[in-house]
Amino acid sequence: MSRFRVPGMGRVDHEAPVKFRFDGVHYAGLAGDTVASALLSHGVHLMGRSFKYHRPRGPVSAGSDEPNALIGTRRSRARAEPNTRATMQEIYSGLRTVSQNKYPSLKFDVGAVNDAAYMLFSAGFYYKTFMWPRSFWDRVYEPVIRAAAGLGVAPDREDPDHYAGRYLHTDVLVVGAGPAGLAAARAAAEAGQRVVLVDEQAEAGGSLLSEPSVRIGGKPAWDWLAAELAALERLGVRVLPRTTAIGYYHQNFVALCQRLTDHLADPDPALPRERMWRVRAGQVVLAQGALEKPLVFDGNDRPGVMLAGAAQTYLNRFGVRVGDRVAVVTVHDSAWFAAFDLADAGSKVAAIVDLRPEVSENLRDGAKARGITVLTGHTVTGTSGRLRVTSVRVNRLKDGGGLGAPRQIDCDALLMCGGWTPSLHLFSHTKGSLRWDADGRTFLPDRTLEDCRIAGAGRGLWGIADALADGAAMGAAAAQAQPGTVPAVENDRTGGGIAMAELPTDRNASRARAFVDYQNDVTAKDLRLAVKEGMRSIEHVKRYTTNGMATDQGKMSNINGLMIAADALGKAPPQVGLTTFRPPYTPTTFGVFAGYHRGGHFEVTRKTPIDGWAEAQGAVFEPVGHWRRARYFPRGREGMDAAVARECAAVRNGVGLFDASTLGKIEVAGPDAVEFMNRVYTNPWTKLQPGRCRYGLLLGDDGFIRDDGVIGRLADDRFHVTTTTGGAARVLNMMEDYLQTEWPDLDVWLTSTTEHWAVLALNGPMTRDVLAPLVGGLDISAGAFPHMSVAACTVAGVPARLFRVSFTGEVGFEINVPARHGLAVWETLMDAGADHGITPYGTETMHVLRAEKGYIIVGQDTDGTVTPHDAGLGWAIGKAKPDFIGKRGLERPDLVAPGRKQLVGLLTEDRSRLEEGAQIVLDPKQPKPMKMVGHVTSSYASAAVGRPIAMALVEGGHDRMGETVYVPMPDRVIAAKITDTQFHDPAGDRLKL
Amino acid sequence: MLLIHCPCCDETLPEMEFAYAGEAHVARPADPSAVSDAEWEAFLFIRTNVKGPHFERWRHIHGCGRFFNAVRDTVSDRFLTTYPAGAPRPDLTTLMGDDA
């Protein structure tokens, strides 16, 4: 039996010891313990060091609001989690835990020098301190801050666990399984509703777990609880423990994170670690209760100082006394009951210090009966002790202000209670408004647009009887039923209290270490300093001091911070207002958000029919939009440059085969198809004959290039439109938008055919030698089937749409066959071309070949601010057309102004290859910052041209032909001559062969 | 995740099926060449950015594919109504009831 465990008390199993480790030391707890309760049972309060000052810290709470006792848990190198709350982590056999933020050890930590230097680390410390010299930022400040920043150590291996997700629809969702939530679930279920009841704790019961002396319906509280849970099961209520409602979104959409294995010694590997439930509820009942507030006084963070309610929970739920000699400081009745319970369990209660001048008779009687010293009208002005509180400094509050002489009271634990804050985080997620309750000095829920009710302590009700009655009423209301009878409650320990900013002191307040936000080490002094330095909005005070910005999201600190800031501002708290509550309610793993969407399922990978063949050939792939495309096909140990040079030569001198299946394809059909095309694309389409193709340019109505592609007219009323690989969905959406909303009178159908067709592009002077024998029903000779033709035929016996087009400058055919035949036709072509040295080539070679011809890639050589004229594509505009998308935009003053960036070619004087994205200047000797006149958009080594080539957008570039511009690089300046963009075969003779 | 009523399918479905498409009732001038630079700028770029009921366009992109209009309160994120593209602007007073 560990020293502080009370035999027979609590809901832990005293017959079931569980061994675990903390900082390498073996401890034995009991089944049902948390790490915090198990360590406390051995008298261990010191569980961590604070974030900024490295002050020793122990648990201050017994729940998910814990700011101090953050530990690392570890099953293996990969299965490790930092910043786990020791107050929430259940122990299991073999659990390994470590304290955080300490070096070399928890008890002796060198970082604690920060604490001695606390005057330096005041509010806005980072903003004030690391300002100068500028050069120190990269080399000194940032590395040091980064090394010191953060809590805990993240695992360095990929998370081997898996995470699940489920959707759930229910009539009523009840959040919180305390007395109010239990009653609400029962009332709704009895009215025939489907009900889900969730609670973040390991078991349902809420405050009943800490209040076993209450009798409900004539039964002890825990017997009533067991019977009630059995009744809920009979009624078909789905009860989910270890499940936190992390976010409340509009239209009663609630995200629940259910923890499935973190409490198990040997979890079934098939089990997900956590599951995200996405719940759509007809009605929501929030029964989350209230959170106890700390009091703000010097030394309120010493291990052993904790919330009175937490001490009551450790005793009644876990059978653990938090100390042998306990002092209490409070402004609320509830702390008295915690003191009474501890006294009854064998701890000495040294004193109850209450700031209120008077308390009720029954509290005084209760203290007297237990021989407890009562100091009403007193305050606490400090604590002592290095790694654990050893004494508390108490002063009398004089009538009319001022403090009496201090006295020292020895203790090994100090329980505090600053009153209770309704837990309204979820309510606020969906913009539920709050109102200030001047009597209770707290915020209460006001209005919400959701179908949502708050029951019990969440709306300021106190005591188990009230919570049960309110829960039953709210549950019935959610079910549109009449509330039933509520069981009688005996021994309900109700009470009230007042609220305080920081406690008064007789010492220099500017030296007080009175913490408001424990986790971020924010003191009352920091908050007052922030106001003094000009922060007026609570949102600014929060960010300047980081109050409430730690992983506990201000569950304990928000209201205390507000009270102090309001006092400093001389305003009432409601005039200052609260900061915004945002999801998630408690820290949530990335894994459960990602769920199934990880690895290969993170996003879709689109593959062409040729993908498997390319992979078997050892192709190197690159992502293009969601597609993966073969970038090049290395032979042997070839690197990319060598492979691309070989592939380029094959296309220029023989024949190459390219998988162009990813091209976007849209079929535009209908009686008004040609009119639609005239309005959408810049080019004129009316006179394009069926069987002919044209390069199409698509603008936005702002006049900028959006997309391009070759478009074939299949019939009077049918076009085969191709788009860029990445632009396909965008272009179809844009076409649908104009068709549906601007021109609904046009009779046109738009169909995406991207994945219907496999597109095999044969290019090179020997193309026809390979292809002609395989084509049926069509003469593809140069005379019969000239450049920019399209026709139906068969290729290798498969029905095909054959385009004679080229993105390489060589004779080219794009063979469109139904996707299911794509691979077979590809392999037939490879066989047929073997004697001609047919060479498969990838996107990198395609890029080089097109750049040699000056063909642009939308999105690489354009960036959403480039007009057709800028890109040298003014010839593609049908000037006689009355309108097309972008026609009016092209006349905008800025688009016709001189000095626009225009697409040009660049040839470097030293024949070096430029970097894409490099900036261009006219005069390299000008002082910095230099005037940048453009940038390199495309740059490649080119065997055909015999030197590297580049394209660039340069201000007034079309008028600078032959001029020299400069590209400053870190090590040198490269001079380059502006040229035309057509580097290879500018007359286009090779296209016509 | 919002629930959105598609006026074409006449079903209320999760937001995932829909794509937002900007402010509604911004009609492209019938003869763009006839409008001034200022009018064209207003058509292209100027939006109301209201706090409160906002007329906006959505597309049921993973459903029927139709564009439609909606009135959504940008403060509460509540849809007041949805209606087919091309239908007239609904009357806000009727929609908002007492809140107008």
Side-chain angles (χ1 to χ4, degrees), chain A residues 49-180:
Chain A
R49 289 270 175 176
S50 74
F51 174 58
K52 193 157 79 174
Y53 300 124
H54 289 242
R55 284 171 69 95
R57 293 278 169 83
V60 66
S61 79
S64 68
D65 49 344
E66 176 59 36
N68 280 346
L70 305 182
I71 56 170
T73 61
R74 193 177 167 94
R75 276 187 210 273
S76 66
R77 186 162 172 183
R79 284 193 170 87
E81 186 179 83
N83 298 324
T84 303
R85 286 146 176 72
T87 53
M88 294 297 285
Q89 175 66 49
E90 297 165 59
I91 59 169
Y92 54 80
S93 177
L95 169 67
R96 285 180 288 160
T97 63
V98 291
S99 61
Q100 303 184 150
N101 217 28
K102 72 336 169 148
Y103 177 84
S105 75
L106 186 56
K107 287 186 179 168
F108 178 77
D109 169 50
V110 294
V113 294
N114 284 3
D115 191 34
Y118 71 93
M119 290 304 237
L120 297 177
F121 291 83
S122 60
F125 163 67
Y126 287 91
Y127 304 113
K128 293 167 184 167
T129 310
F130 298 110
M131 299 286 288
W132 48 261
R134 171 66 184 84
S135 60
F136 267 41
W137 183 256
D138 293 338
R139 272 181 254 154
V140 182
Y141 296 147
E142 188 174 332
V144 169
I145 293 169
R146 284 206 183 281
L151 276 169
V153 180
D156 60 358
R157 295 286 169 91
E158 189 179 337
D159 186 351
D161 281 312
H162 69 279
Y163 298 82
R166 273 205 210 169
Y167 286 90
L168 182 66
H169 294 262
T170 188
D171 296 323
V172 180
L173 171 68
V174 182
V175 179

Side-chain angles (χ1 to χ4, degrees), chain A residues 185-186 188-190 193-197 229 231-240:
Chain A
R186 174 127 192 205
E190 281 181 340
Q193 302 287 293
R194 291 174 302 162
V195 179
V196 176
L197 173 64
L229 289 170
L232 292 180
E233 190 178 346
R234 281 196 303 278
L235 286 164
V237 174
R238 190 197 290 256
V239 181
L240 299 175

Side-chain angles (χ1 to χ4, degrees), chain A residues 644-848:
Chain A
V644 169
R646 175 180 49 72
E647 292 173 11
C648 284
V651 176
R652 290 273 179 248
N653 304 318
V655 57
L657 182 56
F658 177 67
D659 178 12
S661 302
T662 66
L663 272 182
K665 295 171 272 298
I666 300 167
E667 196 127 323
V668 177
D672 295 322
V674 69
E675 174 62 18
F676 180 76
M677 290 300 294
N678 276 332
R679 294 189 195 182
V680 173
Y681 280 83
T682 60
N683 322 63
W685 300 96
T686 309
K687 290 182 184 161
L688 184 73
Q689 294 301 308
R692 297 293 295 161
C693 303
R694 178 164 286 166
Y695 171 78
L697 194 57
L698 180 72
L699 310 184
D701 251 329
D702 52 14
F704 295 133
I705 296 175
R706 289 287 194 280
D707 202 79
D708 68 351
V710 170
I711 294 162
R713 189 166 193 177
L714 304 174
D716 281 339
D717 61 354
R718 185 176 293 261
F719 290 83
H720 178 115
V721 173
T722 67
T723 74
T724 59
T725 293
R730 221 165 30 234
V731 171
L732 181 62
N733 189 64
M734 178 174 162
M735 287 182 175
E736 283 285 356
D737 191 349
Y738 279 85
L739 180 60
Q740 289 183 30
T741 69
E742 299 293 351
W743 312 314
D745 52 309
L746 294 185
D747 193 356
V748 173
W749 287 92
L750 304 172
T751 308
S752 166
T753 55
T754 301
E755 294 190 342
H756 177 77
W757 299 109
V759 183
L760 319 180
L762 264 183
N763 278 270
M766 290 197 265
T767 291
R768 215 177 273 104
D769 301 334
V770 177
L771 182 60
L774 299 172
V775 172
L778 184 67
D779 175 1
I780 63 165
S781 64
F785 198 62
H787 185 52
M788 297 304 253
S789 296
V790 57
C793 61
T794 62
V795 174
V798 173
R801 261 181 206 174
L802 187 64
F803 287 75
R804 183 167 168 203
V805 294
S806 174
F807 201 41
T808 61
E810 304 298 330
V811 173
F813 291 86
E814 287 185 358
I815 306 155
N816 285 242
V817 291
R820 65 186 182 281
H821 298 301
L823 179 60
V825 175
W826 175 280
E827 287 177 328
T828 304
L829 289 166
M830 286 300 297
D831 287 345
D835 292 344
H836 302 278
I838 190 168
T839 302
Y841 66 96
T843 51
E844 193 65 25
T845 292
M846 177 268 282
H847 279 155
V848 175

Side-chain angles (χ1 to χ4, degrees), chain A residues 378-498:
Chain A
H378 280 67
T379 187
V380 166
T381 52
T383 62
S384 302
R386 193 171 81 84
L387 300 176
R388 174 82 178 265
V389 65
T390 55
S391 70
V392 55
R393 188 175 183 270
V394 177
N395 305 58
R396 192 171 62 82
L397 293 164
K398 285 188 190 163
D399 296 338
L403 298 185
R407 75 163 97 166
Q408 207 80 4
I409 296 173
D410 291 343
C411 62
D412 62 358
L414 173 61
L415 314 187
M416 58 184 166
C417 176
W420 297 77
T421 305
S423 184
L424 295 171
H425 301 67
L426 285 182
F427 181 74
S428 300
H429 287 175
T430 43
K431 297 264 178 198
S433 64
L434 309 179
R435 67 182 169 82
W436 179 249
D437 174 41
D439 294 336
R441 300 193 81 183
T442 190
F443 284 102
L444 294 177
D446 193 13
R447 297 179 65 188
T448 176
L449 290 165
E450 303 297 323
D451 289 319
C452 169
R453 291 170 176 78
I454 296 197
R459 62 187 195 99
L461 301 175
W462 191 250
I464 286 164
D466 280 4
L468 281 174
D470 196 42
M474 292 303 175
Q480 292 186 304
Q482 292 303 311
T485 53
V486 180
V489 177
E490 303 156 63
N491 299 341
D492 195 5
R493 303 195 286 188
T494 60
I498 60 169

